[in-house]
Amino acid sequence: MIKNILAATVVLGGTAVVSAGPAPLGVDESATVNPETGIRLPEGFKATVFADEVGFVRHIVKADNGWLYGALMRPKNRMGLVAMRDTDGDGDADETLYFGNKLRGTGIGIYDGYLYFGTDVSIMRWKLPEEGGIPTEKPELIAHGFIEKRQHAAKSFALDGKGNLFVNVGAPSNACMEKARTKGSPGMNPCPILEDFGGIWRFSATEQNQHQKDAEKYATGVRNAVALDWNPHADGLYLAQHGRDQLAEFFPEHFTVEESAELPAEEFHRVDRGSDIGWPYSYYDHLQGKRMKMPEYGGDGTTESDIGQMPLAGFPGHWAPNDLLFMTSSKAPEPYKHGAFIAFHGSWNRAPMPQQGYRVAFVPMDVAGKVTGKWVTFADGFAGTQEIRSPRDAKHRPMGLAEDQDGSLYISSLMSGGRVWKVSYEAN
């Protein structure tokens, strides 16, 4: 089975619909990367390097009092969280503090005066001082009982502002094979991994010492959704998930290496209570615009599946969406007010083709949460000018997203010692 990859790229942005209101601008691919910031943005936007060499920053969140908080993948100065503040308004952080002794994690968020943080096995929170800075009290344990695994262990989460906490519990698996990542091994049916993994669990955001086994399994069929956020405009949970790997390696009779680099799509979904995204039984093929049966379950690249839901948008494979943000500031530029920013971290499984991703995309949406047009690249240039054969070749890899009250966007990277950019609309 050989599909025309070049001809099919016209549908990479998902189903085309008539846009309501002004269309968002993407980057001008003929423009050069800004030498001071190392990234490229649409016309009308500017960037500063807000913080540099601050550690391997994963997700970030901005407090109303001006402090930006970041979760660290590896402790710096033995601490797992960083707090940054720009005291003189020049766009650069001039105060940086660390806390969270010997912790490490990914998820971070703020609700009702508390800073929430996700390690690989727990969600905890600190009471934030009113004046900002780092917490002085001991953290409270909110959720625990997650089974420790090395693969897809990050506990990203979303807060709905109404007392609910939604936690991603990634599946420690590629496609729920009987023998993990082994050619010829069939998929298990039913997939036992879905009992404790591969979904979104809902907890109370305020109750302490909640165990996963007592929480509600809000959605299933999610391989791994490091990128998730509550959309306050549409009052719903949205996510972007990582698709499976190694299609051509395990099924060369069905997929070429070129197809395996593009497939399956990275999927962007609204997730309502009881949703089944489809993993491991199906995947979304953005080149055909169809939900397909996974080859471990009898698929051949042409057979459609009736398991799982169709995404709102599909992105090229192995771009690795690692954060999602809906801006709420009234000062955000009009075309970007209700849509979704998605940070793509880049992955490894496009080999032997060059790796891709390493950008922030924007999906235009209306206030009801419906996609109104094709996605665009909002920021790129992070990886550098060299050809990327391995993620290690990338200079920077977009990871976390946060917004400021003035409508600015923060973007974090965990490469090159860790960096955070601040992106502002010049009209603001």
Side-chain angles (χ1 to χ4, degrees), residues 305-322:
S305 175
D306 59 1
I307 300 176
Q309 66 184 40
M310 292 291 285
L312 299 173
F315 294 84
H318 318 297
W319 277 19
N322 268 17

Side-chain angles (χ1 to χ4, degrees), residues 383-397:
T385 58
Q386 72 277 20
E387 186 175 84
I388 306 299
R389 290 288 173 177
S390 163
R392 292 187 297 272
D393 298 334
K395 186 175 182 179
H396 291 288
R397 303 173 69 187

Side-chain angles (χ1 to χ4, degrees), residues 399-417:
M399 177 66 212
L401 300 170
E403 71 163 321
D404 204 333
Q405 291 175 309
D406 65 1
S408 299
L409 178 72
Y410 294 88
I411 306 169
S412 69
S413 165
L414 52 73
M415 299 292 281
S416 303

